[in-house]
Amino acid sequence: MLPVIGIVLVVGLVFGGYLGAGGSMTIILKALPFEMVMIGGAALGAFVLGNDLATIKGCGRDIVKVFKGPKWQAADYRDLLCLLFQLIWLARQNPVAVEEHIESPETSSIFGAYPKIQKDHDAIELICDTMRAASMNYDDPHQVEEVIDKRLDARRDHALHTSHAVQVVADALPALGIVAAVLGIIKTMGAIDEPPEVLGKMIGGALTGTFLGVFLAYGFVGPIAGRMGAIVAEDDHFFQLIREVLIANMHAHPANICIEVGRQNAPHQFRPDFSDLESAMRELKKAAA
């Protein structure tokens, strides 16, 4: 909802202020389709030229997220902590029994209780690989911690690639607007013998290109790229929580302490209530007993 409000504010206030100051939309509306074809077409062509197919598809998915918001919500953080508690508690009670869950998470009853998490390939791989490493009795947990950090850094860099690609387009749009404006001036110079009222309209149409390039860059495409990056950062907290809990587990802290470490590291707006989470863990213990 907020992105839609932002779009309405940008368009409404810019053009509302222009009309309020006595401006006319006639020249802009007449030039707009042609300027849009030149600027938008050049931006689209440059975008396709500079990116592979996977990035182009990824940009489409991530732009949708700008309007939908982050993937992981407060309920998902609570579910994640409950899932990790079940795995850690089972591993402490029966190390052999937990192996069937981390080796086949797609058929696991524990993972199956949290379908949204189960469907996320990256989250499941991180949990299972780290739990598997814990079962190998590493002498130095910091080795596993370093591996996880490198893995999360690589994942974050890959996830940010689409926002960087869109930001490149935003940076190019003002220059592409100038290209369209120069072409308009060239057209105007070819009609230099026309009367001033005709030349004035032609120059106004040419300047529409400069306006459109800057307007699209700073009013729409740049903010969209920034929001795409912000959503990646917000969703990354989910994976950082997995890291904190499983590293605490490798340091042999009690299961409830591991979960509390994760809860404390959850973003404030997504952090589960302590009492609610404690009650949920007690219920999970009773169900497993």
Side-chain angles (χ1 to χ4, degrees):
M1 186 62 183
L2 280 178
V4 176
I5 294 173
I7 290 172
V8 171
L9 288 174
V10 169
V11 175
L13 294 178
V14 168
F15 288 104
Y18 171 70
L19 291 172
S24 172
M25 293 294 294
T26 304
I27 296 176
I28 294 177
L29 291 176
K30 185 177 180 180
L32 190 61
F34 308 103
E35 299 292 335
M36 195 65 190
V37 168
M38 287 188 283
I39 298 170
L44 179 61
F47 175 72
V48 172
L49 180 63
N51 296 284
D52 56 24
L53 186 59
T55 302
I56 294 171
K57 290 181 178 179
C59 284
R61 290 192 300 268
D62 289 349
I63 288 173
V64 172
K65 291 180 182 179
V66 170
F67 297 90
K68 292 177 65 176
K71 177 178 181 178
W72 306 111
Q73 303 299 321
D76 301 316
Y77 280 82
R78 181 184 183 277
D79 287 348
L80 176 62
L81 290 171
C82 289
L83 167 63
L84 293 174
F85 173 77
Q86 285 182 272
L87 292 173
I88 293 171
W89 189 78
L90 181 60
R92 302 284 176 85
Q93 302 298 314
N94 189 346
V96 176
V98 80
E99 289 184 7
E100 65 179 89
H101 296 284
I102 63 176
E103 294 300 332
S104 301
E106 64 280 356
T107 60
S108 163
S109 59
I110 293 179
F111 284 101
Y114 311 97
K116 185 175 179 180
I117 299 174
Q118 188 181 37
K119 291 177 183 176
D120 191 282
H121 180 74
D122 289 345
I124 293 300
E125 272 202 342
L126 179 61
I127 293 170
C128 293
D129 288 349
T130 308
M131 291 291 294
R132 194 178 294 114
S135 68
M136 294 177 183
N137 295 320
Y138 271 76
D139 292 333
D140 185 5
H142 293 292
Q143 292 178 323
V144 180
E145 187 174 355
E146 184 178 352
V147 170
I148 294 175
D149 286 342
K150 289 180 179 179
R151 181 173 183 164
L152 292 180
D153 287 345
R155 181 195 170 278
R156 189 184 309 108
D157 289 343
H158 178 74
L160 287 170
H161 190 53
T162 54
S163 66
H164 293 158
V166 174
Q167 184 60 52
V168 168
V169 175
D171 293 340
L173 278 169
L176 294 175
I178 293 173
V179 169
V182 169
L183 289 174
I185 295 298
I186 292 172
K187 176 187 173 185
T188 303
M189 295 304 292
I192 196 68
D193 56 344
E194 295 289 340
E197 59 270 18
V198 174
L199 291 176
K201 292 179 180 179
M202 294 179 71
I203 293 172
L207 291 175
T208 300
T210 303
F211 158 74
L212 190 60
V214 175
F215 182 61
L216 291 175
Y218 297 106
F220 295 99
V221 183
I224 286 173
R227 181 58 182 154
M228 288 166 66
I231 288 175
V232 169
E234 288 183 47
D235 281 340
D236 188 60
H237 289 302
F238 194 80
F239 293 88
Q240 291 295 330
L241 188 148
I242 295 174
R243 173 196 182 278
E244 297 298 334
V245 172
L246 295 184
I247 291 300
N249 175 51
M250 294 198 70
H251 285 280
H253 296 304
N256 62 324
I257 297 299
C258 296
I259 300 306
E260 179 59 17
V261 169
R263 193 189 74 85
Q264 291 285 351
N265 279 277
H268 184 267
Q269 68 272 27
F270 298 135
R271 186 178 302 154
D273 179 72
F274 176 82
S275 301
D276 177 59
L277 190 59
E278 280 287 311
S279 299
M281 289 191 292
R282 283 196 295 269
E283 292 299 321
L284 290 172
K285 278 186 179 181
K286 289 179 183 179

